[in-house]
């Protein structure tokens, strides 16, 4: 009697629908949770191949004396340790001085370019909030510089900056008479102005697009209430628009900073392999150190230093923005 009771209880448990439904629910839950990760697996593998693997290889190359003699098999290059890094940060030596000059030029260029892109983009987005005839066409025209391929746009600017028959000198010198003689825009000190002009022309539509999207989330009732209280356009901009756009601007400024600091296509197409000293951005400087002087070890070390700098700036920016967000909440 006592021996048959557990067997009968087990038989009843197996025959009950809840006992069979429990493992099936757990299996279905595991499948539902694991399916998104399974779908993301191809993208993660491609990200690993496209970005992480070359990054790791570049870090390894920075510790080697990799020159043109070891291009066929870079793994056989002798180990250099931290020599490439010490040479790069030795600001008393020519290599370190050139890298420091390029870094300072890049910082100045990035600050001016990001600031002007944000200012012009924000002003255009605020202006486009009002309804008027032809607003849709004007919005489309504003986005043309951002939609154009980089090479086609920059090559067009190269022709416009020509000394003898360029459009810029024709307007400034021949038409408006603002200069005593035609200027050289692609060499000398004016090259920085030319590079900044192209960068701002190409980047401000992105700021315009992001800020315009952020403005759509601001309730119109706030502006109506402010207008009833006697607030003018400037006060509405200071008290409503800019505070409401702070989360959008935080992300926008960071993205513009990273894009501009790493920009290689614009100076390379504008000036070629050897950029003028006034427009020697660090991206082109690293390219010259790697592919012109054939010192890939030093170029990889400079790239790693640039990566560390950008990681530090990004980390500080995210820490400050998160602290402000917690303080505001």
């Amino acid at each position: 009697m006592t021996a048959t009771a557990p067997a009968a209880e087990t038989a009843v448990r197996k025959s009950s629908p809840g006992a069979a439904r429990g493992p099936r629910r757990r299996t279905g839950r595991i499948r539902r949770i694991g399916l998104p990760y399974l779908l993301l697996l191809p993208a993660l593998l491609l990200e690993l191949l496209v970005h992480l693997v070359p990054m790791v290889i570049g870090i390894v190359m920075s510790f080697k004396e990799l020159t043109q003699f070891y291009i066929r098999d870079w793994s056989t290059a002798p180990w250099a340790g931290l020599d490439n890094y010490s040479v790069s940060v030795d600001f008393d030596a020519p290599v370190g001085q050139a890298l420091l000059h390029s870094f300072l030029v890049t910082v100045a260029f990035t600050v001016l370019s990001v600031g002007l892109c944000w200012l012009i983009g924000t002003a255009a987005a605020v202006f486009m909030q009002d309804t008027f005839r032809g607003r849709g066409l004007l919005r489309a025209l504003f986005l043309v510089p951002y939609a154009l391929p980089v090479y086609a746009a920059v090559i067009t600017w190269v022709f416009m900056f020509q000394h003898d028959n360029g459009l810029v000198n024709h307007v400034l010198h021949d038409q408006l008479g603002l200069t005593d003689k035609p200027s050289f825009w692609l060499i000398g000190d004016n090259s920085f102005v030319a590079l900044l002009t192209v960068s701002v022309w190409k980047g401000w539509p992105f700021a315009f697009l992001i800020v315009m999207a952020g403005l759509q989330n601001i309730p119109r009732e706030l502006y109506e209430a402010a207008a009833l209280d006697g607030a003018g356009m400037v006060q509405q901009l200071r008290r409503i628009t800019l505070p409401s756009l702070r989360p959008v601007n935080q992300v926008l400024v960071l993205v513009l900073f990273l894009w501009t600091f790493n920009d290689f296509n614009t100076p390379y197409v504008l000036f070629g392999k050897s950029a003028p000293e006034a427009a020697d951005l660090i991206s082109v400087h690293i390219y010259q150190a790697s592919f012109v002087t054939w010192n890939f070890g030093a170029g990889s070390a400079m790239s790693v230093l640039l990566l560390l700098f950008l990681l530090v700036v990004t980390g500080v920016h995210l820490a400050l923005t998160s602290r402000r967000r917690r303080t505001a909440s």
Side-chain angles (χ1 to χ4, degrees), residues 22-308:
R24 291 178 182 176
R25 286 180 178 176
R26 286 194 294 270
T27 304
R29 188 180 304 166
I30 292 174
R31 289 179 179 177
R32 288 195 302 270
I33 295 175
L35 181 60
Y37 295 99
L38 184 62
L39 296 176
L40 286 175
L41 185 60
L44 293 176
L45 292 177
L46 289 176
E47 180 73 17
L48 181 68
L49 293 175
V50 173
H51 290 94
L52 296 182
V53 173
M55 186 185 302
V56 173
I57 293 176
I59 294 174
V60 174
M61 289 170 58
S62 66
F63 294 101
K64 288 179 171 289
E65 294 181 6
L66 185 57
T67 59
Q68 68 268 30
F69 303 106
Y70 301 98
I71 293 179
R72 191 178 295 271
D73 188 5
W74 67 271
S75 60
T76 60
W79 193 260
L82 297 176
D83 291 344
N84 292 324
Y85 292 93
S86 61
V87 171
S88 300
V89 298
D90 185 7
F91 301 133
D92 295 328
V95 176
Q97 290 178 356
L99 182 62
L100 179 61
H101 173 267
S102 177
F103 174 77
L104 295 177
V105 170
T106 308
V107 170
F109 165 75
T110 303
V111 170
L112 291 174
S113 178
V114 172
L116 290 174
C117 286
W118 177 84
L119 182 62
I120 298 174
T122 302
V126 172
F127 173 72
M128 284 296 166
Q129 288 301 107
D130 295 333
T131 303
F132 56 90
R133 188 174 182 179
R135 184 179 64 169
L137 178 61
L138 198 56
R139 282 180 176 179
L141 292 177
F142 282 174
L143 295 177
V144 168
Y146 181 69
L148 283 176
V150 177
Y151 288 92
V154 178
I155 287 175
T156 303
W157 277 101
V158 171
F159 286 106
M160 293 172 61
F161 280 128
Q162 291 297 318
H163 177 265
D164 296 327
N165 52 4
L167 179 63
V168 176
N169 279 334
H170 176 71
V171 173
L172 295 180
H173 177 68
D174 299 336
Q175 300 294 329
L176 300 179
L178 298 178
T179 57
D180 297 334
K181 56 182 179 179
S183 304
F184 290 94
W185 293 101
L186 300 179
I187 59 176
D189 295 337
N190 289 333
S191 59
F192 183 85
V193 179
L195 179 61
L196 181 63
T197 302
V198 178
S199 178
V200 172
W201 177 85
K202 185 169 59 68
W204 79 265
F206 176 76
F208 162 72
L209 186 65
I210 299 302
V211 173
M212 187 173 60
L215 289 174
Q216 306 303 317
N217 297 323
I218 303 177
R220 301 301 302 176
E221 292 79 6
L222 295 177
Y223 293 101
E224 295 175 358
L228 291 177
D229 291 337
M233 180 178 179
V234 177
Q235 291 180 338
Q236 292 179 15
L237 182 65
R238 289 180 54 191
R239 303 297 183 181
I240 300 176
T241 305
L242 293 181
S244 301
L245 288 176
R246 185 175 292 119
V248 175
N249 286 328
Q250 290 172 353
V251 179
L252 174 62
V253 169
L254 179 61
V255 171
L256 286 176
F257 173 81
L258 295 176
W259 283 359
T260 308
F261 210 96
N262 283 318
D263 190 12
F264 173 79
N265 295 329
T266 301
Y268 183 80
V269 178
L270 197 61
F271 305 114
K273 295 182 179 180
S274 57
E277 186 178 0
D280 185 22
L281 297 188
I282 196 168
S283 58
V284 181
H285 188 84
I286 293 175
Y287 170 81
Q288 292 174 348
S290 301
F291 295 96
V292 177
T293 62
W294 298 94
N295 195 342
F296 296 98
S300 299
M302 295 176 186
S303 299
V304 174
L305 292 174
L306 175 61
L307 174 64
L308 294 176

